[in-house]
Amino acid sequence: MVAVVTTIGRSSTADAAVEATAAPPPAFVVAAAKRETAVLGDPDPTSAQYVLTRHRAAVQASSAATVTRNQPVYLIVLTGQFKTGPVGPAPGRVVTGTFATEVLDARTGRDTDFGIGSRRVPIRSLGIVGDLLPYMKGAAAPACSAPDLRATAGLQGATGSQLGGVTISNGGTLACTLPAKPLIALSWRERQLFVRTTPFPSGWLSRMNPHWGHRISVLAPRAGAQVILQWFNWCGPTPWGSRRGFHLTVALRVPHQPAPIHATTTELAVAPYCNRKPRAGTGSMLRVSPFVAPS
């Protein structure tokens, strides 16, 4: 959807009061803002803001339009001297404005709506507003998120447990920061498997593989990292059957992001043996490493 921005909002001074509390923007949001300002002829905008909200609210605020879907989205609001190429039937008309907006699906990274006009957008009414300019200028690194990353998963039998992990790569154009503690969940056919997560014992990772002793906090474009997993003692139900393996899905959640990164094992996995049956629950434990260098 393309629209002319006609709504009126608050001053940028009022918006600045809440910017410090916003979570870092995902890398795909920063990349989209940089592309938009370059295409619209002002790569050095005076203001660039973002907010995580819902699709209907973002479109209503940015263009006074209505949409049927209401998925989580990021709304970007840019201030500068903007100009489009010819719009509409030939020969078309050039649209200019001091405000440009873009709406991005938070789960997929796809842009859904765009607008340009001369009136302010009430972005502050939609949630906690953040400042994109430090990230666009390279003074701060954005966060890694599901649309930025590609992931694969695999587990193999290892002395009564299943050892393996998730390998990720940065498919975007900007370096992004990884969380200090990955949040991991296991599932089979969208049914979560209840496991207790815990860190690896101190020194275990580096003894097993020197690469696993090197933590990674920033992921460059096309670079990779791993989260090592070791799964023990599954005493829960086995709806996949007792005599064959199954495709296990690993969900890696990034704090403050609405969508996890999913990776399903390409080869069949096998649940670890039930060595100690609990009085209640599955009795299962999953060791989870930080993000480490690929082996």
Side-chain angles (χ1 to χ4, degrees), residues 213-229:
H214 298 285
R215 297 191 180 190
I216 293 180
S217 58
V218 178
L219 199 60
R222 297 182 297 279
Q226 280 184 302
V227 177
I228 309 302
L229 305 174

Side-chain angles (χ1 to χ4, degrees), residues 12-73:
S12 58
T13 302
D15 288 333
V18 296
E19 288 174 358
T21 61
F28 76 90
V29 171
V30 180
K34 294 180 70 171
R35 284 194 305 270
E36 185 170 347
T37 55
V39 168
L40 295 178
D42 188 354
D44 189 23
T46 58
S47 173
Q49 297 174 312
Y50 65 97
V51 64
L52 177 62
T53 183
R54 290 281 177 170
H55 196 194
R56 291 175 191 165
V59 172
Q60 178 63 33
S62 60
S63 61
T66 57
V67 292
T68 56
R69 298 186 63 197
N70 201 30
Q71 73 275 25
V73 298

Side-chain angles (χ1 to χ4, degrees), residues 1-24:
M1 178 186 295
V2 178
V4 175
V5 176
T6 57
T7 48
I8 301 175
R10 298 177 181 242
S11 70
S12 58
T13 302
D15 288 333
V18 296
E19 288 174 358
T21 61

Side-chain angles (χ1 to χ4, degrees), residues 95-140:
V95 179
T96 61
T98 52
F99 299 98
T101 63
E102 187 170 6
V103 179
L104 302 169
D105 189 305
R107 293 180 174 140
T108 66
R110 290 192 291 266
D111 62 316
T112 62
D113 307 271
F114 164 79
I116 185 171
S118 58
R119 293 189 180 182
R120 227 174 262 281
V121 176
I123 185 173
R124 198 175 159 227
S125 66
L126 303 179
I128 300 176
V129 177
D131 184 5
L132 278 174
L133 287 182
Y135 302 94
M136 294 173 69
K137 295 178 179 180

